[in-house]
PDB file of all heavy atoms in Angstrom:
ATOM      1  N   PRO A 837     -67.235 -52.052-171.209  1.00 32.00           N
ATOM      2  CA  PRO A 837     -67.563 -50.697-171.552  1.00 32.00           C
ATOM      3  C   PRO A 837     -68.957 -50.558-172.129  1.00 32.00           C
ATOM      4  O   PRO A 837     -69.516 -51.524-172.651  1.00 32.00           O
ATOM      5  CB  PRO A 837     -66.497 -50.312-172.587  1.00 32.00           C
ATOM      6  CG  PRO A 837     -65.388 -51.271-172.372  1.00 32.00           C
ATOM      7  CD  PRO A 837     -66.006 -52.523-171.857  1.00 32.00           C
ATOM      8  N   SER A 838     -69.541 -49.384-172.040  1.00 33.00           N
ATOM      9  CA  SER A 838     -70.918 -49.180-172.547  1.00 33.00           C
ATOM     10  C   SER A 838     -70.939 -49.338-174.052  1.00 33.00           C
ATOM     11  O   SER A 838     -69.917 -49.232-174.772  1.00 33.00           O
ATOM     12  CB  SER A 838     -71.370 -47.763-172.183  1.00 33.00           C
ATOM     13  OG  SER A 838     -70.647 -46.753-172.937  1.00 33.00           O
ATOM     14  N   GLY A 839     -72.166 -49.575-174.514  1.00 36.00           N
ATOM     15  CA  GLY A 839     -72.379 -49.728-175.978  1.00 36.00           C
ATOM     16  C   GLY A 839     -71.876 -48.522-176.731  1.00 36.00           C
ATOM     17  O   GLY A 839     -71.258 -48.605-177.809  1.00 36.00           O
ATOM     18  N   ALA A 840     -72.160 -47.330-176.225  1.00 33.00           N
ATOM     19  CA  ALA A 840     -71.737 -46.112-176.884  1.00 33.00           C
ATOM     20  C   ALA A 840     -70.192 -46.060-177.010  1.00 33.00           C
ATOM     21  O   ALA A 840     -69.667 -45.647-178.005  1.00 33.00           O
ATOM     22  CB  ALA A 840     -72.242 -44.917-176.133  1.00 33.00           C
ATOM     23  N   GLN A 841     -69.482 -46.441-175.937  1.00 32.00           N
ATOM     24  CA  GLN A 841     -68.033 -46.403-175.985  1.00 32.00           C
ATOM     25  C   GLN A 841     -67.467 -47.335-177.045  1.00 32.00           C
ATOM     26  O   GLN A 841     -66.564 -46.983-177.795  1.00 32.00           O
ATOM     27  CB  GLN A 841     -67.452 -46.790-174.621  1.00 32.00           C
ATOM     28  CG  GLN A 841     -67.700 -45.742-173.531  1.00 32.00           C
ATOM     29  CD  GLN A 841     -67.187 -46.243-172.203  1.00 32.00           C
ATOM     30  OE1 GLN A 841     -67.649 -47.252-171.700  1.00 32.00           O
ATOM     31  NE2 GLN A 841     -66.209 -45.586-171.635  1.00 32.00           N
ATOM     32  N   VAL A 842     -68.045 -48.544-177.092  1.00 31.00           N
ATOM     33  CA  VAL A 842     -67.577 -49.510-178.050  1.00 31.00           C
ATOM     34  C   VAL A 842     -67.921 -49.097-179.474  1.00 31.00           C
ATOM     35  O   VAL A 842     -67.121 -49.233-180.401  1.00 31.00           O
ATOM     36  CB  VAL A 842     -68.163 -50.896-177.758  1.00 31.00           C
ATOM     37  CG1 VAL A 842     -67.787 -51.888-178.842  1.00 31.00           C
ATOM     38  CG2 VAL A 842     -67.667 -51.401-176.415  1.00 31.00           C
ATOM     39  N   ALA A 843     -69.097 -48.549-179.680  1.00 34.00           N
ATOM     40  CA  ALA A 843     -69.591 -48.138-180.994  1.00 34.00           C
ATOM     41  C   ALA A 843     -68.645 -47.158-181.688  1.00 34.00           C
ATOM     42  O   ALA A 843     -68.409 -47.259-182.883  1.00 34.00           O
ATOM     43  CB  ALA A 843     -70.962 -47.604-180.933  1.00 34.00           C
ATOM     44  N   HIS A 844     -68.102 -46.207-180.932  1.00 30.00           N
ATOM     45  CA  HIS A 844     -67.250 -45.219-181.532  1.00 30.00           C
ATOM     46  C   HIS A 844     -65.976 -45.798-182.069  1.00 30.00           C
ATOM     47  O   HIS A 844     -65.393 -45.288-183.004  1.00 30.00           O
ATOM     48  CB  HIS A 844     -66.942 -44.103-180.490  1.00 30.00           C
ATOM     49  CG  HIS A 844     -68.079 -43.169-180.245  1.00 30.00           C
ATOM     50  ND1 HIS A 844     -68.655 -42.429-181.243  1.00 30.00           N
ATOM     51  CD2 HIS A 844     -68.738 -42.881-179.105  1.00 30.00           C
ATOM     52  CE1 HIS A 844     -69.639 -41.673-180.731  1.00 30.00           C
ATOM     53  NE2 HIS A 844     -69.739 -41.970-179.462  1.00 30.00           N
ATOM     54  N   ALA A 845     -65.518 -46.908-181.454  1.00 33.00           N
ATOM     55  CA  ALA A 845     -64.296 -47.527-181.882  1.00 33.00           C
ATOM     56  C   ALA A 845     -64.522 -48.726-182.759  1.00 33.00           C
ATOM     57  O   ALA A 845     -63.602 -49.384-183.246  1.00 33.00           O
ATOM     58  CB  ALA A 845     -63.451 -47.950-180.666  1.00 33.00           C
ATOM     59  N   ALA A 846     -65.768 -49.075-183.041  1.00 34.00           N
ATOM     60  CA  ALA A 846     -66.100 -50.305-183.712  1.00 34.00           C
ATOM     61  C   ALA A 846     -65.820 -50.200-185.214  1.00 34.00           C
ATOM     62  O   ALA A 846     -65.930 -49.164-185.842  1.00 34.00           O
ATOM     63  CB  ALA A 846     -67.575 -50.635-183.485  1.00 34.00           C
ATOM     64  N   SER A 847     -65.542 -51.305-185.780  1.00 34.00           N
ATOM     65  CA  SER A 847     -65.419 -51.417-187.240  1.00 34.00           C
ATOM     66  C   SER A 847     -65.942 -52.801-187.626  1.00 34.00           C
ATOM     67  O   SER A 847     -66.111 -53.671-186.800  1.00 34.00           O
ATOM     68  CB  SER A 847     -63.982 -51.228-187.656  1.00 34.00           C
ATOM     69  OG  SER A 847     -63.198 -52.365-187.317  1.00 34.00           O
ATOM     70  N   SER A 848     -66.105 -53.001-188.936  1.00 35.00           N
ATOM     71  CA  SER A 848     -66.553 -54.268-189.419  1.00 35.00           C
ATOM     72  C   SER A 848     -65.406 -55.179-189.882  1.00 35.00           C
ATOM     73  O   SER A 848     -65.604 -56.108-190.617  1.00 35.00           O
ATOM     74  CB  SER A 848     -67.530 -54.080-190.611  1.00 35.00           C
ATOM     75  OG  SER A 848     -66.887 -53.410-191.679  1.00 35.00           O
ATOM     76  N   ARG A 849     -64.214 -54.884-189.423  1.00 33.00           N
ATOM     77  CA  ARG A 849     -63.081 -55.686-189.803  1.00 33.00           C
ATOM     78  C   ARG A 849     -63.162 -57.113-189.359  1.00 33.00           C
ATOM     79  O   ARG A 849     -63.831 -57.428-188.340  1.00 33.00           O
ATOM     80  CB  ARG A 849     -61.783 -55.091-189.242  1.00 33.00           C
ATOM     81  CG  ARG A 849     -61.704 -55.046-187.729  1.00 33.00           C
ATOM     82  CD  ARG A 849     -60.515 -54.213-187.207  1.00 33.00           C
ATOM     83  NE  ARG A 849     -60.440 -54.196-185.791  1.00 33.00           N
ATOM     84  CZ  ARG A 849     -61.125 -53.396-184.998  1.00 33.00           C
ATOM     85  NH1 ARG A 849     -61.974 -52.537-185.498  1.00 33.00           N
ATOM     86  NH2 ARG A 849     -60.937 -53.425-183.670  1.00 33.00           N
ATOM     87  N   GLN A 850     -62.569 -58.008-190.065  1.00 40.00           N
ATOM     88  CA  GLN A 850     -62.551 -59.399-189.709  1.00 40.00           C
ATOM     89  C   GLN A 850     -61.389 -59.692-188.810  1.00 40.00           C
ATOM     90  O   GLN A 850     -60.224 -59.479-189.192  1.00 40.00           O
ATOM     91  CB  GLN A 850     -62.461 -60.289-190.958  1.00 40.00           C
ATOM     92  CG  GLN A 850     -63.584 -60.005-191.939  1.00 40.00           C
ATOM     93  CD  GLN A 850     -64.947 -60.376-191.367  1.00 40.00           C
ATOM     94  OE1 GLN A 850     -65.214 -61.513-191.023  1.00 40.00           O
ATOM     95  NE2 GLN A 850     -65.840 -59.396-191.291  1.00 40.00           N
ATOM     96  N   CYS A 851     -61.654 -60.122-187.576  1.00 45.00           N
ATOM     97  CA  CYS A 851     -60.647 -60.240-186.568  1.00 45.00           C
ATOM     98  C   CYS A 851     -60.226 -61.619-186.210  1.00 45.00           C
ATOM     99  O   CYS A 851     -59.292 -61.843-185.478  1.00 45.00           O
ATOM    100  CB  CYS A 851     -61.108 -59.535-185.296  1.00 45.00           C
ATOM    101  SG  CYS A 851     -61.624 -57.866-185.416  1.00 45.00           S
ATOM    102  N   VAL A 852     -60.913 -62.620-186.751  1.00 39.00           N
ATOM    103  CA  VAL A 852     -60.638 -63.992-186.379  1.00 39.00           C
ATOM    104  C   VAL A 852     -59.825 -64.657-187.457  1.00 39.00           C
ATOM    105  O   VAL A 852     -60.234 -64.755-188.603  1.00 39.00           O
ATOM    106  CB  VAL A 852     -61.943 -64.787-186.113  1.00 39.00           C
ATOM    107  CG1 VAL A 852     -61.660 -66.199-185.726  1.00 39.00           C
ATOM    108  CG2 VAL A 852     -62.754 -64.101-185.002  1.00 39.00           C
ATOM    109  N   GLY A 853     -58.660 -65.174-187.109  1.00 41.00           N
ATOM    110  CA  GLY A 853     -57.839 -65.856-188.066  1.00 41.00           C
ATOM    111  C   GLY A 853     -58.112 -67.347-188.109  1.00 41.00           C
ATOM    112  O   GLY A 853     -59.001 -67.871-187.451  1.00 41.00           O
ATOM    113  N   ASP A 854     -57.338 -68.059-188.915  1.00 41.00           N
ATOM    114  CA  ASP A 854     -57.525 -69.494-189.109  1.00 41.00           C
ATOM    115  C   ASP A 854     -57.414 -70.288-187.806  1.00 41.00           C
ATOM    116  O   ASP A 854     -58.264 -71.167-187.538  1.00 41.00           O
ATOM    117  CB  ASP A 854     -56.519 -70.042-190.112  1.00 41.00           C
ATOM    118  CG  ASP A 854     -56.789 -69.519-191.523  1.00 41.00           C
ATOM    119  OD1 ASP A 854     -57.808 -68.809-191.724  1.00 41.00           O
ATOM    120  OD2 ASP A 854     -56.004 -69.826-192.450  1.00 41.00           O
ATOM    121  N   ALA A 855     -56.422 -69.965-187.026  1.00 37.00           N
ATOM    122  CA  ALA A 855     -56.210 -70.729-185.813  1.00 37.00           C
ATOM    123  C   ALA A 855     -57.396 -70.544-184.823  1.00 37.00           C
ATOM    124  O   ALA A 855     -57.896 -71.499-184.239  1.00 37.00           O
ATOM    125  CB  ALA A 855     -54.918 -70.339-185.125  1.00 37.00           C
ATOM    126  N   GLU A 856     -57.815 -69.290-184.707  1.00 38.00           N
ATOM    127  CA  GLU A 856     -58.938 -69.004-183.837  1.00 38.00           C
ATOM    128  C   GLU A 856     -60.214 -69.658-184.332  1.00 38.00           C
ATOM    129  O   GLU A 856     -60.980 -70.225-183.536  1.00 38.00           O
ATOM    130  CB  GLU A 856     -59.139 -67.505-183.696  1.00 38.00           C
ATOM    131  CG  GLU A 856     -58.063 -66.758-182.920  1.00 38.00           C
ATOM    132  CD  GLU A 856     -56.899 -66.387-183.793  1.00 38.00           C
ATOM    133  OE1 GLU A 856     -56.836 -66.790-184.960  1.00 38.00           O
ATOM    134  OE2 GLU A 856     -56.003 -65.660-183.305  1.00 38.00           O
ATOM    135  N   ARG A 857     -60.383 -69.630-185.625  1.00 37.00           N
ATOM    136  CA  ARG A 857     -61.618 -70.252-186.185  1.00 37.00           C
ATOM    137  C   ARG A 857     -61.654 -71.766-185.986  1.00 37.00           C
ATOM    138  O   ARG A 857     -62.669 -72.341-185.699  1.00 37.00           O
ATOM    139  CB  ARG A 857     -61.709 -69.887-187.709  1.00 37.00           C
ATOM    140  CG  ARG A 857     -63.055 -69.655-188.152  1.00 37.00           C
ATOM    141  CD  ARG A 857     -63.062 -69.245-189.593  1.00 37.00           C
ATOM    142  NE  ARG A 857     -62.969 -67.817-189.703  1.00 37.00           N
ATOM    143  CZ  ARG A 857     -63.962 -66.972-189.452  1.00 37.00           C
ATOM    144  NH1 ARG A 857     -65.098 -67.441-189.100  1.00 37.00           N
ATOM    145  NH2 ARG A 857     -63.799 -65.687-189.612  1.00 37.00           N
ATOM    146  N   GLU A 858     -60.451 -72.367-186.137  1.00 40.00           N
ATOM    147  CA  GLU A 858     -60.365 -73.794-185.869  1.00 40.00           C
ATOM    148  C   GLU A 858     -60.686 -74.108-184.401  1.00 40.00           C
ATOM    149  O   GLU A 858     -61.413 -75.054-184.085  1.00 40.00           O
ATOM    150  CB  GLU A 858     -58.976 -74.306-186.235  1.00 40.00           C
ATOM    151  CG  GLU A 858     -58.850 -75.833-186.072  1.00 40.00           C
ATOM    152  CD  GLU A 858     -57.517 -76.318-186.546  1.00 40.00           C
ATOM    153  OE1 GLU A 858     -56.542 -75.550-186.547  1.00 40.00           O
ATOM    154  OE2 GLU A 858     -57.380 -77.531-186.864  1.00 40.00           O
ATOM    155  N   ALA A 859     -60.206 -73.281-183.507  1.00 38.00           N
ATOM    156  CA  ALA A 859     -60.469 -73.488-182.071  1.00 38.00           C
ATOM    157  C   ALA A 859     -61.961 -73.313-181.780  1.00 38.00           C
ATOM    158  O   ALA A 859     -62.485 -74.008-180.883  1.00 38.00           O
ATOM    159  CB  ALA A 859     -59.635 -72.499-181.245  1.00 38.00           C
ATOM    160  N   LEU A 860     -62.610 -72.394-182.469  1.00 37.00           N
ATOM    161  CA  LEU A 860     -64.051 -72.159-182.252  1.00 37.00           C
ATOM    162  C   LEU A 860     -64.868 -73.263-182.865  1.00 37.00           C
ATOM    163  O   LEU A 860     -66.072 -73.343-182.659  1.00 37.00           O
ATOM    164  CB  LEU A 860     -64.463 -70.837-182.808  1.00 37.00           C
ATOM    165  CG  LEU A 860     -63.841 -69.576-182.089  1.00 37.00           C
ATOM    166  CD1 LEU A 860     -64.215 -68.318-182.855  1.00 37.00           C
ATOM    167  CD2 LEU A 860     -64.352 -69.516-180.642  1.00 37.00           C
ATOM    168  N   GLY A 861     -64.292 -74.091-183.708  1.00 37.00           N
ATOM    169  CA  GLY A 861     -65.078 -75.165-184.302  1.00 37.00           C
ATOM    170  C   GLY A 861     -65.871 -74.759-185.482  1.00 37.00           C
ATOM    171  O   GLY A 861     -67.140 -74.748-185.421  1.00 37.00           O
ATOM    172  N   THR A 862     -65.290 -74.404-186.570  1.00 34.00           N
ATOM    173  CA  THR A 862     -66.012 -74.007-187.751  1.00 34.00           C
ATOM    174  C   THR A 862     -66.466 -75.234-188.489  1.00 34.00           C
ATOM    175  O   THR A 862     -65.704 -76.053-188.937  1.00 34.00           O
ATOM    176  CB  THR A 862     -65.073 -73.198-188.695  1.00 34.00           C
ATOM    177  OG1 THR A 862     -64.634 -72.074-187.983  1.00 34.00           O
ATOM    178  CG2 THR A 862     -65.831 -72.761-189.902  1.00 34.00           C
ATOM    179  N   PRO A 863     -67.802 -75.431-188.654  1.00 33.00           N
ATOM    180  CA  PRO A 863     -68.320 -76.676-189.223  1.00 33.00           C
ATOM    181  C   PRO A 863     -68.390 -76.614-190.725  1.00 33.00           C
ATOM    182  O   PRO A 863     -68.843 -75.650-191.328  1.00 33.00           O
ATOM    183  CB  PRO A 863     -69.714 -76.819-188.604  1.00 33.00           C
ATOM    184  CG  PRO A 863     -70.128 -75.365-188.471  1.00 33.00           C
ATOM    185  CD  PRO A 863     -68.862 -74.574-188.172  1.00 33.00           C
ATOM    186  N   VAL A 864     -67.961 -77.685-191.357  1.00 30.00           N
ATOM    187  CA  VAL A 864     -68.242 -77.920-192.757  1.00 30.00           C
ATOM    188  C   VAL A 864     -68.610 -79.352-192.905  1.00 30.00           C
ATOM    189  O   VAL A 864     -68.408 -80.171-191.997  1.00 30.00           O
ATOM    190  CB  VAL A 864     -67.061 -77.575-193.689  1.00 30.00           C
ATOM    191  CG1 VAL A 864     -66.711 -76.124-193.585  1.00 30.00           C
ATOM    192  CG2 VAL A 864     -65.863 -78.429-193.382  1.00 30.00           C
TER     193      VAL A 864
END
């Protein structure tokens, strides 16, 4: 979808949980 479409529905919420973050490889 276009940027304008997404922007109207966008929020700054945190959407990635622990499992997803582990899969993405969070480095420490």
